[in-house]
Amino acid sequence: VTYDPQVDAAYIALVPLPAGAVARTHALGAWLIADFDADDRLVGFEVLDARHHLPAAILTTAPRPSDPA
């Protein structure tokens, strides 16, 4: 799980994602987006309005996009 507090969005990767791995997305609702690779395998979820939908303990310990890799 990674979290960007500036936009209040979290990403839950189900597999390691190289750049460009997401081929298509599908909105599952107003706040949850599923990502699929070129072989139509589910690779992750984006959670919008994350503070409302995920536990604070996950968000406070999740790496930020600005964190060094």
Side-chain angles (χ1 to χ4, degrees):
V1 175
T2 57
Y3 176 59
D4 186 340
Q6 291 183 349
V7 294
D8 192 24
Y11 194 78
I12 303 167
L14 302 177
V15 296
L17 293 173
V22 176
R24 74 177 184 91
T25 62
H26 179 74
L28 301 174
W31 58 272
L32 185 62
I33 301 165
D35 288 342
F36 297 86
D37 68 9
D39 294 318
D40 214 31
R41 292 179 294 222
L42 179 64
V43 295
F45 294 98
E46 185 170 7
V47 181
L48 306 176
D49 195 18
R51 285 188 294 259
H52 182 75
H53 298 289
L54 296 175
I58 290 174
L59 300 178
T60 56
T61 59
R64 306 299 196 253
S66 60
D67 290 348

